[in-house]
């Protein structure tokens, strides 16, 4: 109960602090550089000054937060990557040499590669199909709401839900896991799905696909609605069928948006952590880079050097995709 009250107090206090900050800074700025009651050049000068300063006042909390929680950790992680487990003694590239020779790190790279191949492709594909189909049925908005709902669930919350899907009980016991209940009902034997090497990675991927399909659907649905009707009508007149219209007329026109959705999910996959931690904790060959970084950084006494080195690898993998994504999104905005 105490934790709940503290959480509520924190949220309410945070909102009130933001309100006080924005109204307070706005009030002080207008007091320091007043424009009301003045005429001529002085009023115009004060108005220009306040218009120049006001956006920075509104952005200041976000810029400070980014500096403290993003910019500083990046430079500190790079520094720690070249130091020992305590972060005090310089060891050069020793941590990176360890990574190359470490079997668990190679397993993590392989698993992340699997995630990259499967999750962005299937989440984008399902999102595109759902976006196209729900625009054609009267209850499409209801379907979109249901499909988008998992986006409101945290990754850990989603993992807990899917634990009940994959839950395993010994043969002869009542199966509360949906998947094993279906298998047993069809005459099969229950399986501990999370302990099956290689395939358990795909069972974990299903969770992220389930979450991200709603995101892809919303973005791609908006893109599909932006397609000029004239192009579709011309294709119909030319005798194109539904599949030809969709894949040869509609998809090429929204390819830029598809690429943005794909790369956004790709960045998320490279950082996937919560699902693996909650479901398997990296056991049974399901380890991924982010969870391995967490293990080395905070468990077993902690090794800041190796944990930071893995973080640097993740950052190196993410940055090029993020830059390309931003450039592509900018081109899309300029095109519209």
């Amino acid at each position: 109960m105490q934790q709940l009250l503290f959480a509520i107090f924190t949220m309410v206090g945070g909102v009130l602090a933001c309100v006080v900050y924005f109204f307070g800074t706005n009030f002080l700025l207008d007091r320091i550089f007043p424009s009301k009651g003045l005429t001529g050049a002085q009023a115009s000068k004060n108005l220009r000054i306040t218009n120049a300063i006001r956006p920075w006042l509104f952005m200041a909390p976000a810029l400070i937060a980014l500096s403290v929680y993003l910019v500083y950790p990046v430079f500190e992680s790079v520094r720690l990557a070249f130091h020992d487990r305590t972060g005090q003694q310089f060891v050069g590239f020793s941590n990176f040499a360890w990574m190359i020779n470490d079997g668990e790190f190679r397993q993590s790279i392989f698993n992340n590669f699997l995630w990259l191949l499967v999750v962005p492709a299937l989440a984008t594909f399902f999102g595109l199909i759902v976006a196209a189909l729900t625009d054609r049925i009267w209850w499409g908005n209801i379907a979109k709401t249901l499909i988008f709902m998992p986006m409101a669930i945290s990754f850990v919350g989603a993992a807990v839900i899917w634990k009940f899907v994959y839950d395993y009980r010994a043969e002869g016991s009542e199966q509360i896991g949906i998947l094993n209940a279906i298998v047993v009902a069809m005459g099969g034997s229950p399986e501990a799905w999370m302990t099956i090497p290689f395939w358990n990675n795909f069972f974990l991927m299903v969770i992220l696909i389930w979450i991200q399909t709603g995101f892809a659907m919303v973005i791609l649905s908006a893109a599909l609605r932006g397609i000029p009707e004239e192009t579709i009508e011309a294709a119909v007149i030319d005798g194109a069928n539904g599949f030809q219209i969709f894949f040869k007329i509609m998809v090429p026109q929204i390819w830029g948006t598809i690429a943005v959705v794909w790369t956004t999910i790709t960045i998320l996959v490279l950082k996937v952590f919560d699902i693996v931690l909650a479901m398997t904790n990296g056991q049974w060959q399901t380890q991924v880079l982010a969870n391995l970084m967490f293990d080395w950084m905070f468990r077993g006494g902690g090794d800041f050097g190796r944990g930071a080195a893995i973080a640097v690898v993740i950052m190196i993998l993410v940055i090029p995709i993020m830059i390309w994504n931003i450039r592509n999104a900018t081109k899309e905005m300029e095109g519209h």
Side-chain angles (χ1 to χ4, degrees):
M1 187 63 182
Q2 186 178 359
Q3 290 180 337
L4 178 61
L5 291 174
F6 181 75
I8 294 173
F9 175 78
T10 302
M11 289 188 291
V12 174
V15 172
L16 290 177
C18 290
V19 172
V20 170
Y21 171 80
F22 287 123
F23 278 99
T25 53
N26 201 48
F27 175 78
L28 289 174
L29 186 63
D30 289 335
R31 286 288 182 177
I32 296 170
F33 300 103
S35 57
K36 293 181 180 180
L38 299 177
T39 58
Q42 187 61 43
S44 298
K45 179 182 177 181
N46 285 356
L47 193 60
R48 286 196 301 271
I49 292 173
T50 55
N51 287 340
I53 295 175
R54 205 182 311 274
W56 290 104
L57 286 176
F58 288 168
M59 290 192 298
L63 292 175
I64 293 171
L66 282 173
S67 300
V68 173
Y69 296 109
L70 184 63
V71 177
Y72 167 73
V74 166
F75 288 103
E76 182 64 9
S77 295
V78 173
R79 186 191 73 82
L80 288 173
F82 295 95
H83 288 73
D84 65 352
R85 66 183 299 117
T86 64
Q88 301 299 320
Q89 184 177 349
F90 182 78
V91 294
F93 288 91
S94 297
N95 292 321
F96 295 95
W98 159 80
M99 283 194 302
I100 295 172
N101 297 310
D102 183 66
E104 193 172 17
F105 176 78
R106 292 196 297 269
Q107 179 71 52
S108 301
I109 289 287
F110 175 75
N111 289 341
N112 268 99
F113 180 70
L114 279 181
W115 282 73
L116 286 173
L117 284 179
V118 176
V119 175
L122 289 184
T124 305
F125 174 76
F126 289 140
L128 179 61
I129 297 300
V130 170
L133 293 178
T134 50
D135 281 339
R136 298 173 179 271
I137 53 179
W138 66 268
W139 50 277
N141 288 334
I142 299 174
K144 285 181 179 179
T145 302
L146 294 174
I147 293 168
F148 186 75
M149 234 178 238
M151 279 290 295
I153 304 172
S154 68
F155 284 1
V156 173
V160 171
I161 292 171
W162 280 83
K163 269 184 177 290
F164 288 101
V165 175
Y166 297 136
D167 188 78
Y168 167 77
R169 300 292 171 89
E171 191 167 1
S173 303
E174 184 179 2
Q175 300 297 326
I176 65 169
I178 296 173
L179 189 55
N180 273 322
I182 294 173
V183 170
V184 171
M186 296 178 66
S189 299
E191 294 282 352
W193 305 103
M194 288 296 98
T195 65
I196 304 174
F198 183 72
W199 296 108
N200 49 11
N201 287 289
F202 294 97
F203 296 134
L204 294 175
M205 293 176 203
V206 169
I207 303 172
L208 190 53
I209 293 169
W210 177 67
I211 296 172
Q212 290 299 307
T213 294
F215 162 75
M217 175 199 67
V218 170
I219 305 300
L220 295 174
S221 179
L224 288 171
R225 291 186 178 184
I227 295 174
E229 287 291 333
E230 294 81 2
T231 58
I232 298 174
E233 291 172 359
V236 173
I237 293 171
D238 289 339
N241 58 39
F243 283 100
Q244 290 173 327
I245 292 173
F246 182 70
F247 288 106
K248 294 185 178 181
I249 305 298
M250 299 174 72
V251 169
Q253 292 188 72
I254 63 166
W255 183 248
T257 306
I258 293 173
V260 169
V261 171
W262 188 303
T263 50
T264 301
I265 299 174
T266 296
I267 292 171
L268 181 67
V269 166
L270 283 169
K271 302 183 295 180
V272 67
F273 163 70
D274 316 58
I275 293 172
V276 175
L277 176 69
M279 293 293 288
T280 64
N281 195 24
Q283 300 179 85
W284 307 297
Q285 300 179 24
T286 60
Q287 189 66 283
V288 290
L289 288 173
N291 195 62
L292 183 64
M293 175 199 71
F294 179 81
D295 284 347
W296 278 105
M297 187 74 80
F298 301 108
R299 290 177 173 167
D303 189 321
F304 290 155
R306 291 183 177 181
I310 299 169
V312 169
V313 170
I314 296 173
M315 184 171 62
I316 291 171
L317 293 173
V318 167
I319 286 176
I321 302 172
M322 185 173 64
I323 293 173
W324 185 89
N325 198 8
I326 293 171
R327 287 182 177 177
N328 205 49
T330 304
K331 289 179 183 178
E332 279 288 301
M333 293 174 65
E334 291 173 351
H336 290 293

